Amino acid sequence: MIQATQTSNLTCTRSTAATFSALKCKECGAEYEPKAVHVCEFCFGPLEVLYDYSALSRTVTRESIQAGPKSIWRYRSFLPVATDTPIDVGTGMTPLLQANRLARRLGLKRLFIKNDAVNMPTLSFKDRVVSVALTRARELGFTTVSCASTGNLANSTAAIAAYAGLECCVFIPADLEAGKVLGTLVYSPTVIAVQGNYDQVNRLCSEVANTYGWGFVNINLRPYYSEGSKTLGYEVAEQLGWQLPDHIVAPLASGSLFTKIYKGFQEFIKVGLVDDKTVRFSGAQAEGCSPIAQAFRENRDFITPVKPSTIAKSIAIGNPADGVYALDIARKTNGNIEAVTDSEIIDGIKLLAETEGIFTETAGGTTIAVLKKLIEAGKIDPDETTVAYITGNGLKTQEAVQGYIGEPLTIEPKLDNFERAWERAQTLDRLEWQQVLV
Ligand SMILES: *Cc1c(COP(=O)(O)O)cnc(C)c1O
C-alpha cells in the first residue's frame, strides 16, 4: 500500500487562526483529530467539523464579516481551515437577485434567486466546496487532489487545483455532457471517464482513496468540503440585510448542500448574527433520480437507492450520502421534497431565462420547476419571502435544451430580407414560431 502523502498537522497549520478543534461523528458523537478522515470507526456515521461557537460569538460581528474579502473567505472563521491565506479565486458573494418578473408569473410576492450560475471560477456552486477542500488539503500536506464527480465538481477541482499548483486526477461517469468534460480537460488534469453511473464512480474512488493517499475532496476530505456549502446560507442572510428568508428551495443530489445551508442559518442564529426563526426547507429532485423525494412522499425515514435516468446529470446520485439528514430537515421545518419530469426541467430552464435573464443548467431547471409545482400545490405561501438556489450554468448543459428553444432566422445581408424576416416574426407568436422552426 502506498503511504498517504499527509504530513503532521502541526507543521502546516498556524493554529492561532483555527476556530475548530475536532471532527465529530453525526451519529454517535465520537470525536476525531481534524485530519483526512470522514467516517466513524465505531458506527460508520459521517464526521462533521466541530467549532468553538462561544469564541465565535465573542469575536465575529456583522462589521468584521463586512470588512473581509468579497468572497466566501469573509466567513473564514466559520470554515474548517487554519491558514490566513486560503485559496481565494473570488469564489462566492454571487448575486442575490430579486426576481420580480418570475415572482409575478408564479404568484409570489417576494422571490429571490441566489445565482451561483455565475460563481467563480467555474460557474457552479461547487467552487465553494472545492475552495475550502483544497485549502484544507494543502494544510494537511496533500500534493495530489481528486474527486468523484457528476460534472461540476470535476470542473471546480481541476480549475482550482491548477491555480493552487496541486496535481489533479478526477473521475467522472463516461456519459457526461460535452461542456462538462471539456470544461475539465482544459485545465489538463488526468480525467478518468468510468463506464458506469456516479454511484459506481464513487465506489471506485473510495477504493482509490484508501490506496493512493490522495486528497479526494468529496471522500476523505468530505467533512471539510461540505462545510463550504454553508456559505450559501451565510451570503443569503447577509444579502437580505442580516435576516433569514421564510422559505428556501434547493436541489438535492447527495443532500449535502441542502443540509449545510441549514447549518449555516443555524450557526448565524447561534452566534447572534441574525434573529432566530424557522426557515422552511424544500428540496428539488428529478423524477428520474428521486430517492429522497420518494422517501419523503412515502413517509419513510430511510432511503432506497435508485438507478438514475434523467437529463439532470449533475444531481443524479442514486444513493445519496446525506439523504436522511435532508429528509429530516425538510420535515422538521415544515418544508417539502418534490420531483419533476425532464420536460418540466426544460420548461424550468426556459422560464428562468425568459423572466430573469439567467441561463441555468438542468439542476437549476429542476429547482425552478419544483418551485412552480410547490406554489401551484399551495405548499409555498404567496406571502413567504422565498429564495431559490440556482447552482449551475446552462452553457455547460446545452444538449438539454437543444431542439426546444427555436432557431435564428437566417437571412442574406439585405434590408429586404430582414424586413420579410421581421414581418414573419411578428405574425407568429413566440410559441408558434418555435413550433414552426423546431
Ligand atoms: C453537485 C450539485 C448539486 C447538489 O449537490 P449535493 O451537495 O450533492 O446535494 C446541485 N446543483 C449542482 C449544479 C451541482 O453540481
Side-chain angles (χ1 to χ4, degrees), residues 192-228:
I192 308 291
V194 179
Q195 289 170 325
N197 60 36
Y198 170 82
D199 300 284
Q200 293 168 306
V201 175
N202 194 40
R203 252 191 314 277
L204 170 65
C205 285
S206 297
E207 292 178 58
V208 177
N210 285 335
T211 321
Y212 282 74
W214 295 347
F216 274 78
V217 300
N218 58 338
I219 301 177
N220 52 357
L221 296 170
R222 191 173 178 84
Y224 310 102
Y225 154 97
S226 58
E227 290 285 287

CSV table of all heavy atoms in Angstrom, one decimal, residues 192-228:
chain,number,residue,atom,x,y,z
A,192,ILE,N,-10.4,10.5,-15.7
A,192,ILE,CA,-10.8,9.1,-15.8
A,192,ILE,C,-12.3,9.1,-16.0
A,192,ILE,O,-13.0,9.4,-15.1
A,192,ILE,CB,-10.4,8.3,-14.6
A,192,ILE,CG1,-8.9,8.5,-14.2
A,192,ILE,CG2,-10.7,6.8,-14.8
A,192,ILE,CD1,-7.9,7.9,-15.1
A,193,ALA,N,-12.7,8.7,-17.2
A,193,ALA,CA,-14.1,8.5,-17.5
A,193,ALA,C,-14.5,7.0,-17.3
A,193,ALA,O,-14.0,6.2,-18.0
A,193,ALA,CB,-14.4,8.9,-19.0
A,194,VAL,N,-15.4,6.8,-16.3
A,194,VAL,CA,-15.7,5.5,-15.9
A,194,VAL,C,-17.0,5.0,-16.6
A,194,VAL,O,-18.0,5.8,-16.6
A,194,VAL,CB,-15.9,5.4,-14.4
A,194,VAL,CG1,-16.3,4.0,-13.9
A,194,VAL,CG2,-14.6,5.9,-13.7
A,195,GLN,N,-17.0,3.8,-17.2
A,195,GLN,CA,-18.2,3.3,-17.8
A,195,GLN,C,-19.2,2.8,-16.7
A,195,GLN,O,-19.2,1.7,-16.4
A,195,GLN,CB,-17.9,2.3,-18.8
A,195,GLN,CG,-17.2,2.9,-20.0
A,195,GLN,CD,-16.6,1.9,-21.0
A,195,GLN,OE1,-16.1,0.9,-20.6
A,195,GLN,NE2,-16.7,2.2,-22.3
A,196,GLY,N,-19.9,3.8,-16.2
A,196,GLY,CA,-20.9,3.4,-15.1
A,196,GLY,C,-21.5,4.7,-14.6
A,196,GLY,O,-21.2,5.8,-15.1
A,197,ASN,N,-22.4,4.6,-13.7
A,197,ASN,CA,-23.1,5.8,-13.2
A,197,ASN,C,-22.3,6.4,-12.0
A,197,ASN,O,-21.3,5.8,-11.6
A,197,ASN,CB,-24.5,5.6,-12.8
A,197,ASN,CG,-24.7,4.5,-11.7
A,197,ASN,OD1,-23.8,4.4,-10.8
A,197,ASN,ND2,-25.7,3.7,-11.8
A,198,TYR,N,-22.7,7.6,-11.5
A,198,TYR,CA,-22.0,8.2,-10.4
A,198,TYR,C,-21.7,7.3,-9.2
A,198,TYR,O,-20.6,7.3,-8.6
A,198,TYR,CB,-22.7,9.5,-10.0
A,198,TYR,CG,-22.1,10.1,-8.7
A,198,TYR,CD1,-20.9,10.9,-8.8
A,198,TYR,CD2,-22.5,9.8,-7.5
A,198,TYR,CE1,-20.3,11.4,-7.7
A,198,TYR,CE2,-21.9,10.3,-6.3
A,198,TYR,CZ,-20.8,11.1,-6.5
A,198,TYR,OH,-20.2,11.6,-5.4
A,199,ASP,N,-22.7,6.6,-8.8
A,199,ASP,CA,-22.6,5.7,-7.6
A,199,ASP,C,-21.5,4.7,-7.8
A,199,ASP,O,-20.7,4.4,-6.9
A,199,ASP,CB,-23.9,5.1,-7.3
A,199,ASP,CG,-25.0,6.2,-7.0
A,199,ASP,OD1,-25.0,6.8,-5.9
A,199,ASP,OD2,-25.8,6.4,-7.9
A,200,GLN,N,-21.3,4.2,-9.0
A,200,GLN,CA,-20.2,3.3,-9.3
A,200,GLN,C,-18.9,4.0,-9.3
A,200,GLN,O,-17.9,3.5,-8.8
A,200,GLN,CB,-20.5,2.6,-10.7
A,200,GLN,CG,-21.7,1.7,-10.6
A,200,GLN,CD,-22.2,1.2,-12.0
A,200,GLN,OE1,-22.4,2.0,-12.9
A,200,GLN,NE2,-22.3,-0.1,-12.1
A,201,VAL,N,-18.9,5.2,-9.9
A,201,VAL,CA,-17.6,6.0,-9.9
A,201,VAL,C,-17.2,6.3,-8.4
A,201,VAL,O,-16.0,6.1,-8.0
A,201,VAL,CB,-17.9,7.4,-10.5
A,201,VAL,CG1,-16.6,8.3,-10.4
A,201,VAL,CG2,-18.2,7.2,-12.0
A,202,ASN,N,-18.2,6.6,-7.6
A,202,ASN,CA,-17.9,6.9,-6.2
A,202,ASN,C,-17.3,5.7,-5.4
A,202,ASN,O,-16.4,5.8,-4.6
A,202,ASN,CB,-19.2,7.4,-5.5
A,202,ASN,CG,-19.0,8.0,-4.2
A,202,ASN,OD1,-18.0,8.8,-4.0
A,202,ASN,ND2,-19.8,7.7,-3.2
A,203,ARG,N,-17.9,4.5,-5.7
A,203,ARG,CA,-17.4,3.3,-5.1
A,203,ARG,C,-15.9,3.0,-5.5
A,203,ARG,O,-15.1,2.8,-4.6
A,203,ARG,CB,-18.3,2.1,-5.4
A,203,ARG,CG,-19.1,1.6,-4.2
A,203,ARG,CD,-19.8,0.3,-4.5
A,203,ARG,NE,-20.5,0.2,-5.7
A,203,ARG,CZ,-21.7,0.6,-6.0
A,203,ARG,NH1,-22.4,1.3,-5.1
A,203,ARG,NH2,-22.3,0.4,-7.2
A,204,LEU,N,-15.7,3.2,-6.8
A,204,LEU,CA,-14.3,3.0,-7.2
A,204,LEU,C,-13.3,4.0,-6.5
A,204,LEU,O,-12.2,3.6,-6.1
A,204,LEU,CB,-14.2,3.2,-8.8
A,204,LEU,CG,-12.8,3.3,-9.4
A,204,LEU,CD1,-12.1,1.9,-9.2
A,204,LEU,CD2,-12.9,3.6,-10.9
A,205,CYS,N,-13.8,5.2,-6.4
A,205,CYS,CA,-12.9,6.3,-5.8
A,205,CYS,C,-12.6,6.0,-4.4
A,205,CYS,O,-11.6,6.3,-3.9
A,205,CYS,CB,-13.6,7.7,-6.0
A,205,CYS,SG,-13.4,8.3,-7.7
A,206,SER,N,-13.6,5.4,-3.6
A,206,SER,CA,-13.3,5.1,-2.2
A,206,SER,C,-12.2,4.1,-2.1
A,206,SER,O,-11.3,4.2,-1.3
A,206,SER,CB,-14.6,4.4,-1.6
A,206,SER,OG,-15.6,5.4,-1.6
A,207,GLU,N,-12.1,3.2,-3.1
A,207,GLU,CA,-11.0,2.2,-3.1
A,207,GLU,C,-9.7,2.9,-3.4
A,207,GLU,O,-8.7,2.7,-2.8
A,207,GLU,CB,-11.3,1.1,-4.1
A,207,GLU,CG,-12.4,0.2,-3.7
A,207,GLU,CD,-12.7,-0.9,-4.8
A,207,GLU,OE1,-11.7,-1.7,-5.1
A,207,GLU,OE2,-13.8,-0.9,-5.3
A,208,VAL,N,-9.8,3.8,-4.4
A,208,VAL,CA,-8.5,4.5,-4.8
A,208,VAL,C,-8.0,5.4,-3.7
A,208,VAL,O,-6.8,5.5,-3.4
A,208,VAL,CB,-8.8,5.4,-6.1
A,208,VAL,CG1,-7.5,6.2,-6.5
A,208,VAL,CG2,-9.2,4.5,-7.3
A,209,ALA,N,-9.0,6.1,-3.0
A,209,ALA,CA,-8.6,7.0,-1.9
A,209,ALA,C,-7.9,6.2,-0.8
A,209,ALA,O,-6.9,6.7,-0.3
A,209,ALA,CB,-9.9,7.6,-1.3
A,210,ASN,N,-8.3,5.0,-0.5
A,210,ASN,CA,-7.7,4.2,0.5
A,210,ASN,C,-6.3,3.7,0.1
A,210,ASN,O,-5.4,3.6,0.9
A,210,ASN,CB,-8.5,2.9,0.8
A,210,ASN,CG,-9.7,3.2,1.6
A,210,ASN,OD1,-9.7,4.2,2.3
A,210,ASN,ND2,-10.7,2.4,1.4
A,211,THR,N,-6.0,3.6,-1.2
A,211,THR,CA,-4.8,3.0,-1.7
A,211,THR,C,-3.7,4.1,-2.0
A,211,THR,O,-2.6,3.9,-1.7
A,211,THR,CB,-5.0,2.2,-2.9
A,211,THR,OG1,-6.2,1.5,-2.7
A,211,THR,CG2,-3.9,1.2,-3.2
A,212,TYR,N,-4.2,5.2,-2.6
A,212,TYR,CA,-3.2,6.1,-3.2
A,212,TYR,C,-2.8,7.3,-2.3
A,212,TYR,O,-1.9,8.0,-2.5
A,212,TYR,CB,-3.7,6.7,-4.5
A,212,TYR,CG,-3.5,5.7,-5.6
A,212,TYR,CD1,-4.3,4.5,-5.7
A,212,TYR,CD2,-2.5,5.9,-6.5
A,212,TYR,CE1,-4.1,3.6,-6.8
A,212,TYR,CE2,-2.3,5.0,-7.6
A,212,TYR,CZ,-3.1,3.8,-7.7
A,212,TYR,OH,-2.8,2.9,-8.7
A,213,GLY,N,-3.6,7.5,-1.2
A,213,GLY,CA,-3.2,8.6,-0.3
A,213,GLY,C,-3.4,10.0,-0.9
A,213,GLY,O,-2.7,10.9,-0.6
A,214,TRP,N,-4.4,10.1,-1.8
A,214,TRP,CA,-4.7,11.4,-2.4
A,214,TRP,C,-5.8,12.1,-1.6
A,214,TRP,O,-6.5,11.4,-0.8
A,214,TRP,CB,-5.2,11.2,-3.8
A,214,TRP,CG,-4.3,10.7,-4.8
A,214,TRP,CD1,-2.9,10.5,-4.7
A,214,TRP,CD2,-4.6,10.2,-6.1
A,214,TRP,NE1,-2.4,10.0,-5.8
A,214,TRP,CE2,-3.3,9.8,-6.7
A,214,TRP,CE3,-5.7,10.1,-6.9
A,214,TRP,CZ2,-3.3,9.2,-8.0
A,214,TRP,CZ3,-5.7,9.5,-8.2
A,214,TRP,CH2,-4.4,9.1,-8.7
A,215,GLY,N,-5.9,13.3,-1.7
A,215,GLY,CA,-7.0,14.1,-1.1
A,215,GLY,C,-8.2,14.1,-2.0
A,215,GLY,O,-8.2,14.9,-3.0
A,216,PHE,N,-9.2,13.2,-1.7
A,216,PHE,CA,-10.4,13.2,-2.5
A,216,PHE,C,-11.4,14.2,-1.9
A,216,PHE,O,-11.8,14.0,-0.7
A,216,PHE,CB,-11.1,11.8,-2.5
A,216,PHE,CG,-10.6,10.9,-3.6
A,216,PHE,CD1,-9.3,10.3,-3.5
A,216,PHE,CD2,-11.3,10.7,-4.7
A,216,PHE,CE1,-8.9,9.5,-4.5
A,216,PHE,CE2,-10.8,9.9,-5.7
A,216,PHE,CZ,-9.6,9.3,-5.6
A,217,VAL,N,-11.7,15.3,-2.6
A,217,VAL,CA,-12.4,16.4,-2.0
A,217,VAL,C,-13.8,15.9,-1.4
A,217,VAL,O,-14.1,16.3,-0.3
A,217,VAL,CB,-12.7,17.6,-2.9
A,217,VAL,CG1,-11.3,18.2,-3.4
A,217,VAL,CG2,-13.5,17.2,-4.1
A,218,ASN,N,-14.4,15.0,-2.1
A,218,ASN,CA,-15.7,14.6,-1.5
A,218,ASN,C,-15.7,13.2,-0.9
A,218,ASN,O,-16.8,12.5,-0.7
A,218,ASN,CB,-16.8,14.7,-2.6
A,218,ASN,CG,-16.5,13.8,-3.8
A,218,ASN,OD1,-15.4,13.5,-4.1
A,218,ASN,ND2,-17.6,13.5,-4.6
A,219,ILE,N,-14.5,12.6,-0.6
A,219,ILE,CA,-14.5,11.4,0.1
A,219,ILE,C,-13.7,11.6,1.4
A,219,ILE,O,-14.3,11.9,2.4
A,219,ILE,CB,-13.9,10.2,-0.8
A,219,ILE,CG1,-14.8,10.1,-2.0
A,219,ILE,CG2,-13.8,8.9,0.0
A,219,ILE,CD1,-14.3,9.1,-3.0
A,220,ASN,N,-12.3,11.5,1.4
A,220,ASN,CA,-11.6,11.6,2.7
A,220,ASN,C,-11.6,13.0,3.2
A,220,ASN,O,-11.3,13.3,4.4
A,220,ASN,CB,-10.3,10.9,2.7
A,220,ASN,CG,-9.4,11.4,1.5
A,220,ASN,OD1,-9.8,12.1,0.6
A,220,ASN,ND2,-8.2,10.9,1.4
A,221,LEU,N,-11.8,14.0,2.3
A,221,LEU,CA,-11.9,15.4,2.8
A,221,LEU,C,-13.3,15.9,2.9
A,221,LEU,O,-13.5,17.1,3.1
A,221,LEU,CB,-11.1,16.3,1.8
A,221,LEU,CG,-9.6,16.0,1.7
A,221,LEU,CD1,-9.0,16.8,0.5
A,221,LEU,CD2,-8.9,16.4,3.0
A,222,ARG,N,-14.3,15.0,2.8
A,222,ARG,CA,-15.7,15.4,2.8
A,222,ARG,C,-16.1,16.3,4.0
A,222,ARG,O,-16.9,17.2,3.8
A,222,ARG,CB,-16.6,14.2,2.7
A,222,ARG,CG,-18.0,14.5,2.3
A,222,ARG,CD,-18.9,13.3,2.1
A,222,ARG,NE,-20.3,13.6,1.8
A,222,ARG,CZ,-20.8,14.0,0.6
A,222,ARG,NH1,-20.0,14.1,-0.4
A,222,ARG,NH2,-22.0,14.3,0.5
A,223,PRO,N,-15.6,16.0,5.2
A,223,PRO,CA,-16.1,16.9,6.3
A,223,PRO,C,-15.7,18.3,6.1
A,223,PRO,O,-16.5,19.2,6.5
A,223,PRO,CB,-15.3,16.3,7.5
A,223,PRO,CG,-15.1,14.9,7.2
A,223,PRO,CD,-14.8,14.9,5.7
A,224,TYR,N,-14.6,18.6,5.4
A,224,TYR,CA,-14.1,20.0,5.1
A,224,TYR,C,-14.9,20.5,3.9
A,224,TYR,O,-15.4,21.7,3.9
A,224,TYR,CB,-12.6,20.0,4.9
A,224,TYR,CG,-11.9,19.3,6.1
A,224,TYR,CD1,-11.4,18.0,5.9
A,224,TYR,CD2,-11.8,19.9,7.3
A,224,TYR,CE1,-10.8,17.4,6.9
A,224,TYR,CE2,-11.2,19.2,8.4
A,224,TYR,CZ,-10.7,18.0,8.2
A,224,TYR,OH,-10.1,17.3,9.2
A,225,TYR,N,-14.9,19.8,2.9
A,225,TYR,CA,-15.5,20.1,1.6
A,225,TYR,C,-17.0,20.5,1.9
A,225,TYR,O,-17.4,21.6,1.4
A,225,TYR,CB,-15.5,18.8,0.7
A,225,TYR,CG,-16.5,18.6,-0.3
A,225,TYR,CD1,-16.3,19.0,-1.7
A,225,TYR,CD2,-17.8,18.0,0.0
A,225,TYR,CE1,-17.2,18.8,-2.6
A,225,TYR,CE2,-18.7,17.8,-1.0
A,225,TYR,CZ,-18.4,18.2,-2.3
A,225,TYR,OH,-19.4,17.9,-3.3
A,226,SER,N,-17.7,19.7,2.6
A,226,SER,CA,-19.2,20.0,2.7
A,226,SER,C,-19.4,21.3,3.5
A,226,SER,O,-20.4,22.0,3.2
A,226,SER,CB,-19.9,18.8,3.4
A,226,SER,OG,-19.3,18.6,4.7
A,227,GLU,N,-18.5,21.7,4.3
A,227,GLU,CA,-18.7,23.0,5.1
A,227,GLU,C,-18.7,24.2,4.1
A,227,GLU,O,-19.3,25.2,4.5
A,227,GLU,CB,-17.5,23.1,6.1
A,227,GLU,CG,-17.6,22.2,7.2
A,227,GLU,CD,-18.7,22.5,8.2
A,227,GLU,OE1,-18.5,23.5,9.0
A,227,GLU,OE2,-19.7,21.8,8.3
A,228,GLY,N,-18.1,24.1,3.0
A,228,GLY,CA,-18.1,25.2,2.0
A,228,GLY,C,-19.5,25.6,1.6
A,228,GLY,O,-19.8,26.8,1.3
